[in-house]
Structure formats: C-alpha cells, structure tokens
Amino acid sequence: MRLLILVTIIVSNTFIVCSQSSSEIGFNIEKEMTKNLNGTFVDSLNAIKWTPYPKEVIAISEDGYAYTSIDSVISYTSNSENYKLVVLSTNQVYEGLNSECAGCAPSLGLALYKLVDGKYVLSSFNRSIRQMGQAGHIPPYSIVDISENSKGFLISEDNFMDNDVYTYLFSLYESDVAALTFEFPNFQMTDRASSKYKTSTISFNKTKGNEEFYTIQLNVSSFKMDKKVGSESILYSFNGRKWEPIK
C-alpha cells in the first residue's frame, strides 16, 4: 500500500504573499532586475536571460544561460522602515520553453529594496541561494516575524514521496538578505520498510526578558503508517546568527 502523507507547516505571525505590478511598487522591477543581472529581458519567456559565473550553483539551461523570472514582490515594514522583497525563480529552458518536468528544481533568489528618501534602493541581493522545488516552481513561502523588529523568509520544500522534505528560514538583513539561520526536516522517512516517519511544525514565541529574537518551538511527531506513536517539543534560541537548541 502506498503511503500518502500530508505535511502542514504551522507558522505564527506570517504575512500574506502577493504579487504586485511595476506601477504598484513605484519603479520598473523588470528593468531593475535586468540591470542587476546584467542580462536581457525575453518577452516570450517573461524572464531575464543572463550569463552565470563558471560553476555557479544555479539552474542553467542547455544554451549555457540562466533564465530568471520575478515570482512575486512582497511589501513589508520592519523597525519602522519600508521594504520590498523581490522573490526570483531561475528555471531551465529547453527548446524555447520553460521546463516543467517533475524533477526540474528552479533556483531561489532574493533581492531586498529599502525605501530611502521616497525611492526604493537595492539593499542586498542573492541571485542563487539554492535549488529547490519541482516542476519548475519554487515551494510556498512567507515572511515571518522573528523578533519585534526583524523579519525572516520561510520557505518549505514540496513533499517529495521519495525524499526527506526540509523547511528553511533565511534572514532579511539589509547587508545579507539570505543568510540561512534555521533549517529542519518537516517530513522525514525513518524506516521505509515499516512506513515509519516523522513530521514537524514550527512556531515562533516571544521571549521573556531582554532577548531580542523570539524562540523557535519545533514540534516533532512520530508515526507508523497513520498511527501516531510519539511526539516531542524542541526549543531553540538565537545565538549569534542562527538558532540553536536550548540545553
């Protein structure tokens, strides 16, 4: 019997992700990103064609170029400052079409803009964070509160039946838009023969005292087939530039 597993990521303090047109964000984002990538915009693909560095870890097409699309633009406020986060998806192109095969994992990129004197200025940019997703689509994502004045970018891989599935939390620092601060397997097969597996959910909790960043609570449940056989809760506190388990 094939085991079907539905994995749910429970996150507090999330913002709704919505796409915006260039006119809504106050500048031509396609032109801005084309300049940042030193490329050309291809109307038929709705993507920017550019040349990656040698051995750069990014989805590269058969012609040797990378093709990057703007997945969405997210507006948010942090510490009384206004920002726009541009989420980028770089996909493989074959015979003039975007590849949507089951194993085609696009590359995630992020560009952070800050409102300065009435104009959005590029603050930080990472065009090739990592490859994730399937069928030419990056996984679902959201912006979350990680402290009273800071935000994070949370993205969870799709549920591949034959692989463990991870969720990643990246910083939205002005100087480093995509520093990986936390990752965990939200689905993990521990024994395929007996259909044993684990699922995890994440929540962010305000800390008491003078600590700036919230604690992360990871709730891990163990299953055999569809029967729950155990659970545990693990707390993490922010230490330096990432969350570590509380001893």
Side-chain angles (χ1 to χ4, degrees):
M1 178 183 295
R2 187 175 182 181
L3 179 65
L4 295 178
I5 301 170
L6 176 63
V7 179
T8 303
I9 303 299
I10 301 176
V11 182
S12 62
N13 305 321
T14 57
F15 284 73
I16 296 175
V17 176
C18 57
S19 300
Q20 295 175 294
S21 67
S22 298
S23 60
E24 290 176 311
I25 60 177
F27 62 100
N28 189 323
I29 190 60
E30 293 175 355
K31 183 178 180 180
E32 283 282 327
M33 295 313 305
T34 300
K35 180 180 67 175
N36 292 339
L37 291 168
N38 192 27
T40 56
F41 194 82
V42 181
D43 291 326
S44 60
L45 295 171
N46 195 30
I48 302 162
K49 176 182 177 181
W50 56 279
T51 305
Y53 297 130
K55 297 183 179 180
E56 184 170 1
V57 181
I58 198 164
I60 299 176
S61 299
E62 59 182 351
D63 58 5
Y65 291 98
Y67 291 83
T68 299
S69 300
I70 298 165
D71 195 74
S72 68
V73 180
I74 312 169
S75 300
Y76 69 93
T77 301
S78 178
N79 200 21
S80 301
E81 301 283 358
N82 294 316
Y83 297 89
K84 293 194 183 290
L85 182 68
V86 183
V87 183
L88 303 170
S89 176
T90 300
N91 216 340
Q92 292 177 322
V93 171
Y94 290 102
E95 298 181 353
L97 298 173
N98 285 317
S99 182
E100 295 184 353
C101 66
C104 296
S107 300
L108 169 70
L110 296 174
L112 183 64
Y113 284 82
K114 180 180 180 181
L115 185 62
V116 180
D117 295 329
K119 180 180 180 180
Y120 280 98
V121 178
L122 183 65
S123 176
S124 184
F125 180 34
N126 190 323
R127 67 192 189 184
S128 55
I129 298 170
R130 67 172 60 222
Q131 286 186 248
M132 58 174 67
Q134 60 180 339
H137 302 286
I138 58 177
Y141 50 81
S142 60
I143 291 180
V144 296
D145 291 327
I146 58 177
S147 77
E148 292 287 353
N149 300 310
S150 301
K151 310 292 184 187
F153 182 81
L154 190 76
I155 184 166
S156 180
E157 292 178 319
D158 290 338
N159 186 3
F160 299 129
M161 289 299 300
D162 297 326
N163 296 280
D164 297 342
V165 181
Y166 277 76
T167 291
Y168 303 91
L169 177 64
F170 297 99
S171 73
L172 291 178
Y173 300 130
E174 287 185 28
S175 59
D176 189 356
V177 72
L180 178 62
T181 58
F182 190 68
E183 63 179 298
F184 68 96
N186 56 285
F187 163 70
Q188 186 176 22
M189 182 66 75
T190 58
D191 187 345
R192 191 170 298 277
S194 60
S195 296
K196 292 181 179 179
Y197 64 94
K198 293 182 178 180
T199 62
S200 302
T201 58
I202 186 175
S203 60
F204 299 87
N205 305 317
K206 293 185 179 181
T207 56
K208 297 180 180 179
N210 298 321
E211 300 218 8
E212 178 187 359
F213 289 91
Y214 301 161
T215 56
I216 285 177
Q217 181 172 327
L218 199 62
N219 297 308
V220 184
S221 299
S222 301
F223 293 85
K224 183 175 182 180
M225 296 293 289
D226 58 350
K227 182 180 179 180
K228 187 174 181 179
V229 295
S231 63
E232 62 177 324
S233 181
I234 310 170
L235 290 177
Y236 298 81
S237 63
F238 194 76
N239 183 13
R241 292 182 66 85
K242 63 181 181 179
W243 275 267
E244 295 180 347
I246 298 174
K247 297 181 180 179

